[in-house]
Amino acid sequence: MTYKVIFFGGTGDLAWRKLMPAMYEAFRHGALPGEGRILAAARERHDDASYRLWLAERFSQLSWAEPFCEQAFAQFAEQLHYLPMDLSDPQSYTQLRAWIDREPADAIVIYLATAPKLFTQICLSLGKAGLNRSSIRIVLEKPLGHDLESAIEINEAVLSVFKEQQVFRIDHYLGKQSVQNLMALRFGNSLFEPLWRREWISSVQITIAEDLGVEKRGAYYDHSGALRDMVQNHLLQLLCMVAMEPPSSDDADSVRDEKLKVLRSLRPFSAADVAQYVVRGQYRAGSIAGHAVKAYRDEPGVDPESTTETFVALRAEVENWRWAGVPFFLRTGKRLATRGAEIVINFRPVPHSIFQAPIGSENNRLVIRLQPEDSIELHLLAKASRRDRAEQGRLAPVALDLDFKEAFGSQSIEAYERLLRKVIAGRLDLFVRFDEQRAAWSWVMPILESWAQHPETCRPYAAGTWGPPAASALTAREGITWPEER
Ligand code: BG6
């Protein structure tokens, strides 16, 4: 098989930090099919040779899981090409078509790693240049739209040029190893399925916590905020993975149909619900790992009076037979105490206990950890074999811990590498369909609308903490604590 991958925005941060390293790793491990060529397209003046040097220099700034191999990079670089492009000039697209047509390829991937405001213009220009043929796959990075209306607008423009089966909308969380493992755990094992329902599960908690602030993305982030940046996409996709019914196959549309049903079953928020079930916050100055960090409002590019949220915690409900009444708590934030992402499935207590109260009040819990390492832990209660009289005969929590690095003995594949390989292979199962995206935007819109009317509801929290205290109150009302509070 032969392939060509074209990266618009080939000199941008995403390209050199994530996309090119992913292609390089896939190449180095022989995971790419057959012969390929990669083209970086951007405004800057480079030729193939100067781009290769530029990329080598950028690669030297990255930290690699395995020592960087100059020889492998030299081989990889032979595939790399560069095309200077002016996105508003039809001539540039003619040159691109000439490069694509120079030698035939089975799969042609065009990855738009540019600002999303350029997507419409690029897609229409590709169409005019005849670059919408069926062998072309178009990859779109998030954010795809700022709200429901703009998301529909962009998607309609893209779909006026390409067919839905040609469009690969990225949510890089779907490429993470642990999300693959969640699918495997649920649908490759019979053990959990009978328990995976409201009769046995009391609540679900999904957290994506970051210790970093907005870094150099203040200007973008201040117009986005955590709800658009993380909840509308990553957190809702994780919720879908937990809540979806078993698909009839691993075929892309079978999986995506099931996720869509979940998104459509989410209970809509009224304005009163937003006040009661959604907490938003913004970080003030604080300290992380002993280092003082500044407030969000003092970050470059951020409005000094900004009311944009850097933290969200909310309570969602999936209204169907499997999940009715089970709260799904979603939480994400920047400048939190530590970096970590996990899904916690809390099981109900036993109906009648014959034991004394356990040491530490624990119910069974399944923890699917995505970050910093992939792991799955099953928390059980066991007889503590301790001499201490007070503890004799009592139950204590103990975890069955599956560490994937230990089990499979190798580095897991990075999300972008997995996703790029899927695009080249033409598999859409880890990409988001337009109707999923529309359903996700529809669900978050009442929250955005309510916040626009009540900017004062954004609560401060000190950097290095777990967000505003109201986030603890949100779960405490139902007798639930967040993992770090246990
Ligand atoms: C991106 C968001 O989609 O995900 C960023 O735009 C966020 O703000 C990032 O930092 C988190 O991804 P990961 O894989 O580092 O958890």
Side-chain angles (χ1 to χ4, degrees), residues 142 172-173 176 208 210 217 220-221 229-230 234 334 339 371:
K142 70 171 262 288
H172 78 277
Y173 265 69
K176 292 192 187 258
I208 304 178
E210 295 183 271
R217 299 160 70 226
Y220 148 75
Y221 195 89
D229 190 47
M230 300 293 287
H234 306 323
K334 297 219 179 264
R339 173 172 184 260
Q371 276 160 194

Side-chain angles (χ1 to χ4, degrees), residues 87-148:
L87 295 181
S88 59
D89 181 3
Q91 192 57 30
S92 283
Y93 295 88
T94 312
Q95 285 166 357
L96 175 65
R97 196 183 60 202
W99 184 85
I100 289 175
D101 288 342
R102 209 153 59 198
E103 59 283 296
D106 303 316
I108 298 155
V109 174
I110 301 183
Y111 196 124
L112 304 193
T114 60
K117 62 174 189 268
L118 300 172
F119 288 175
T120 302
Q121 181 195 3
I122 297 175
C123 287
L124 296 178
S125 306
L126 288 170
K128 282 197 195 122
L131 286 173
N132 54 345
R133 19 178 130 126
S134 59
S135 58
I136 293 201
R137 293 162 201 164
I138 186 103
V139 187
L140 305 175
E141 257 298 332
K142 70 171 262 288
L144 223 64
H146 187 70
D147 52 18
L148 178 61

Side-chain angles (χ1 to χ4, degrees), residues 319-390:
E319 294 188 307
N320 61 20
W321 276 44
R322 189 185 282 265
W323 295 114
V326 176
F328 282 73
F329 293 102
L330 310 185
R331 175 176 70 155
T332 186
K334 297 219 179 264
R335 286 286 189 231
L336 297 185
T338 165
R339 173 172 184 260
E342 63 183 26
I343 299 169
V344 181
I345 313 288
N346 294 307
F347 289 92
R348 295 194 186 281
V350 292
H352 166 71
S353 179
I354 59 169
F355 300 101
Q356 292 178 55
I359 303 162
S361 65
E362 280 279 332
N363 293 324
N364 294 143
R365 223 164 58 221
L366 180 70
V367 180
I368 298 127
R369 192 156 293 129
L370 291 79
Q371 276 160 194
E373 302 290 346
D374 302 330
S375 67
I376 293 182
E377 280 170 20
L378 181 60
H379 292 247
L380 303 169
L381 288 176
K383 268 272 166 84
S385 60
R386 295 186 181 131
R387 285 231 159 75
D388 183 334
R389 285 196 63 190

Side-chain angles (χ1 to χ4, degrees), residues 174-185:
L174 292 182
K176 292 192 187 258
Q177 179 69 30
S178 31
V179 175
Q180 302 299 297
N181 278 323
L182 176 56
M183 289 281 276
L185 181 86

